[in-house]
Amino acid sequence: MNRTEPVIEIKDLTVSYGAIQALQGISFKVCKGEIVALIGANGAGKSTTLRTISGLLKPRSGEIIFENKPITNLPGHEIARLGIAHVPEGRRPFANLTVYENLRMGAYLINDSRTIQETMNRIFRSFPRLKERFSQPAGTLSGGELQMLAIARALMAKPRLLMLDEPSMGLSPILVNEIFNIIKEINEQGTSILLVEQNAHKALSICHYAYVLETGRVVMEGTGKELYENPRIKEAYLGG
Amino acid sequence: MAYFFQQLINGLQLGFVYALIALGYTMVYGIVRLINFAHGDIFMVGAYLGFYALTLYHLPFPLAILFAMAGCTLLGITIERFAYRPLRNAPRISALITAIGVSLFLEYFSSLKFVFGPNYLAYPRPFSVCIYQIGTVCISNIQILVVGVSVVLLLILQFIVQKTKTGMAMRAVSYDKNTAKLMGIDVDYIISVTFGIGSALAGAGGVLYGIAYPQIHPFMGIMPGLKAFVAAVLGGIGSIPGAMLGAIIMGIVETMCSAYISSTMRDAFAFAILIIVLLVKPTGILGKREIEKV
Ligand SMILES: Nc1ncnc2c1ncn2[C@@H]1O[C@H](COP(=O)(O)OP(=O)(O)OP(=O)(O)O)[C@@H](O)[C@H]1O
Ligand SMILES: [Mg+2]
């Protein structure tokens, strides 16, 4: 694949929390139709990267370009409006809202109720369990159901770029497979995906391209297959 | 027994006025974790706006109440925008002190001659008082009006919060602001709306209070404001049904206390409730323990 049509491009991004410099100038891109994985150990700066793209954090320097427009200093709600959805680490459901209301909030920016209904019906086909829990408070769902809700909520916005922060965290192996199949499906339907994962095995097996993050720097990149076979990656992230 | 029911009706009237104020406290607290101590003064401004609408502009009562609500909405949004928003990320104590400052400002600014003036004013009644006898209990058209208007407003509020997109967004923002932003929700806008709605209810409360207890002055908001705050804490601050329940209880307890014990004791009683709640069940009747978010 010749990666020439970037959906989003990150250039020399640095981000700090007070004195701690979490990102020390990272650059990467996600091209049209790709699944791009961002892997790295705890504290490497993966979530920081996604939060900065979403406008929840302000970068110290660098540039973020989405569909050829700079979005670097836009407030969070305007970035969502442009077509970027973010499934945050830890799912972060609105526990005090029902499953339906959570999904409705996902579609906050969509004004046409027909579109919302159609999207919801399509989502219920991928996540039948959410349909059964329709009017239940989200706070009562199981961990797996919450992850599905978080993904479904992001899809309600019909994003062109979907960012997922550790969707496999805390799920049983069967559920991990199910979630990854759904991610693949979403991608095949035309959504570009930026996937942050601890589970490097899984991430490298479904992604088109991957970047390895170490203490706020991109230290390696390549196709999923290249990195999978790289001895250093094998040792550090795939358990030898 | 007739006396008891009579007091119950009086208590309900007072309770519903408290409810209109208490909701603003609880909604604002729910969304920005701030006790808006200026809220009682917004109630006072509402009473004055209603007063001028009725006496100066001779508006019919429904328009007068809408006028007061609109004015208070604007006032509440302005206060949030210029006094509280700049302190959104400051320590909570700074915002609290600012709220007390805003409260004092509203009270003393209103007392100026060219604003509302320092004197007591007699509140006009939009119609003459008429008392109906039901069995041995008396109920006035004023009481019916106060309770009726309050119930309608509470139902409208419940509809907005539970059924509309903006209401859902208010609940989402009160739960998790950052995640709400990821949905494209403009958090500042939703906070403004919350202040606006809370202030509108307080404004309506001010007009109803003026009609029920027909005398107003620039410091009239302090006591009802504090009592409504106690009511919100009693019901569980942050909880909308809690604020309604707490306010009704406060209104009835206060009225019963005046009737059966001593009217000079009723304020002491009201605040004793606050102390007892804080000691026994700090989360209030319907409040939930704050879940620490990681
Ligand atoms: N709110 C914060 N305040 C201060 N430092 C922070 C904050 N959030 C993250 N950090 C620091 O920034 C660095 C990167 O954190 P980040 O959450 O981006 O890592 P991560 O790659 O997502 O890790 P994990 O896989 O554990 O989720 C870490 O050193 C972390 O301690
Ligand atoms: Mg992380």
Side-chain angles (χ1 to χ4, degrees):
Chain A
M1 204 184 287
N2 50 353
R3 313 181 65 227
T4 50
E5 235 184 301
V7 175
I8 193 163
E9 198 164 3
I10 280 70
K11 293 180 179 165
D12 275 322
L13 197 66
T14 60
V15 179
S16 359
Y17 299 99
I20 303 167
Q21 192 157 16
L23 297 184
Q24 330 217 11
I26 65 167
S27 302
F28 66 92
K29 62 184 176 182
V30 179
C31 294
K32 218 171 181 150
E34 278 185 331
I35 299 180
V36 168
L38 209 54
I39 61 174
N42 291 111
K46 306 179 297 295
S47 301
T48 303
T49 306
L50 296 197
R51 284 207 290 268
T52 311
I53 294 174
S54 291
L56 300 183
L57 293 172
K58 292 281 156 262
R60 173 164 286 186
S61 66
E63 226 184 338
I64 304 169
I65 295 160
F66 179 66
E67 295 180 338
N68 301 319
K69 284 185 298 281
I71 60 164
T72 317
N73 282 306
L74 289 184
H77 63 272
E78 283 179 28
I79 290 175
R81 188 178 293 277
L82 295 174
I84 299 180
H86 178 171
V87 180
E89 188 172 18
R91 293 113 200 210
R92 297 204 162 260
F94 300 116
N96 56 337
L97 270 57
T98 65
V99 167
Y100 163 75
E101 289 171 335
N102 269 274
L103 295 175
R104 186 65 190 77
M105 286 296 96
Y108 186 78
L109 296 170
I110 296 176
N111 289 320
D112 176 36
S113 60
R114 270 262 296 284
T115 312
I116 293 175
Q117 198 51 52
E118 281 167 16
T119 316
M120 210 176 280
N121 289 340
R122 193 152 37 79
I123 282 172
F124 284 147
R125 280 198 290 278
S126 317
F127 302 98
R129 241 178 303 175
L130 291 182
K131 189 171 186 181
E132 294 161 26
R133 310 268 186 287
F134 193 70
S135 52
Q136 204 168 307
T140 63
L141 298 186
S142 75
E145 289 160 356
L146 283 179
Q147 189 61 64
M148 294 184 183
L149 177 62
I151 297 175
R153 183 177 62 179
L155 290 176
M156 287 299 296
K158 306 184 110 195
R160 290 190 298 285
L161 175 67
L162 177 66
M163 307 195 293
L164 300 139
D165 198 339
E166 304 205 25
S168 74
M169 189 168 52
L171 302 186
S172 70
I174 295 176
L175 218 49
V176 171
N177 286 338
E178 198 178 316
I179 292 277
F180 274 86
N181 284 336
I182 288 167
I183 294 172
K184 255 204 255 176
E185 236 173 75
I186 296 167
N187 176 250
E188 278 155 15
Q189 285 159 14
T191 310
S192 309
I193 289 178
L194 178 56
L195 173 66
V196 160
E197 258 303 336
Q198 291 274 349
N199 188 336
H201 265 292
K202 273 284 165 195
L204 292 179
S205 70
I206 72 162
C207 74
H208 302 105
Y209 204 80
Y211 296 85
V212 182
L213 219 55
E214 255 169 43
T215 54
R217 284 203 173 81
V218 173
V219 293
M220 214 179 289
E221 63 180 278
T223 63
K225 194 159 175 290
E226 279 163 11
L227 292 186
Y228 210 98
E229 285 159 2
N230 183 303
R232 228 196 103 211
I233 299 293
K234 254 191 187 143
E235 190 182 343
Y237 299 101
L238 300 169
Chain B
M1 210 52 194
Y3 184 66
F4 174 81
F5 280 113
Q6 189 63 59
Q7 295 310 321
L8 197 63
I9 290 173
N10 297 343
L12 277 177
Q13 165 177 276
L14 185 60
F16 273 105
V17 174
Y18 285 163
L20 291 176
I21 314 174
L23 283 164
Y25 274 113
T26 229
M27 288 167 68
V28 163
Y29 183 84
I31 209 153
V32 287
R33 302 290 181 272
L34 166 75
I35 308 290
N36 179 14
F37 272 113
H39 194 61
D41 305 296
I42 294 176
F43 159 86
M44 173 273 291
V45 171
Y48 273 94
L49 292 179
F51 175 86
Y52 289 119
L54 290 168
T55 57
L56 225 54
Y57 307 124
H58 302 289
L59 293 183
F61 172 72
L63 284 183
I65 208 164
L66 286 178
F67 176 75
M69 289 173 78
C72 289
T73 301
L74 217 61
L75 178 63
I77 290 176
T78 309
I79 291 172
E80 190 278 326
R81 176 67 190 81
F82 294 104
Y84 302 149
R85 191 178 298 178
L87 296 171
R88 183 90 44 80
N89 298 316
R92 264 197 234 176
I93 189 77
S94 315
L96 198 67
I97 292 168
T98 306
I100 294 171
V102 172
S103 166
L104 291 171
F105 171 78
L106 288 176
E107 286 158 16
Y108 287 91
F109 186 72
S110 302
S111 304
L112 294 174
K113 279 237 169 51
F114 60 89
V115 189
F116 300 149
N119 302 325
Y120 282 73
L121 295 174
Y123 215 79
R125 285 192 154 149
F127 36 74
S128 50
V129 182
C130 172
I131 291 171
Y132 310 102
Q133 180 111 17
I134 304 165
T136 48
V137 178
C138 294
I139 183 161
S140 75
N141 54 352
I142 300 282
Q143 286 175 318
I144 293 173
L145 178 81
V146 169
V147 173
V149 172
S150 306
V151 168
V152 169
L153 289 175
L154 298 184
L155 288 176
I156 293 174
L157 173 73
Q158 202 59 20
F159 175 79
I160 292 176
V161 171
Q162 294 302 328
K163 297 287 176 221
T164 67
K165 184 167 94 169
T166 303
M168 278 177 217
M170 286 164 63
R171 285 181 283 142
V173 168
S174 84
Y175 190 79
D176 184 343
K177 291 190 184 44
N178 273 344
T179 306
K181 279 184 209 162
L182 298 182
M183 313 286 117
I185 297 172
D186 182 346
V187 169
D188 284 336
Y189 168 77
I190 294 296
I191 290 174
S192 285
V193 170
T194 306
F195 269 85
I197 294 177
S199 305
L201 292 175
V207 178
L208 294 176
Y209 190 88
I211 287 173
Y213 312 96
Q215 209 180 39
I216 60 172
H217 60 100
F219 294 87
M220 66 178 274
I222 298 176
M223 262 304 158
L226 283 174
K227 303 254 180 74
F229 168 62
V230 175
V233 174
L234 170 64
I237 191 133
S239 155
I240 288 179
M244 295 188 198
L245 182 67
I248 303 289
I249 294 175
M250 278 292 287
I252 291 175
V253 166
E254 197 182 315
T255 312
M256 292 296 172
C257 178
S258 309
Y260 288 101
I261 304 172
S262 130
S263 65
T264 49
M265 286 283 286
R266 58 162 205 232
D267 293 347
F269 238 78
F271 296 114
I273 291 182
L274 176 64
I275 295 169
I276 293 168
V277 173
L278 291 179
L279 286 176
V280 179
K281 196 166 186 296
T283 52
I285 301 171
L286 298 180
K288 292 192 196 75
R289 231 185 35 241
E290 193 121 325
I291 307 153
E292 274 310 318
K293 284 169 238 155
V294 193

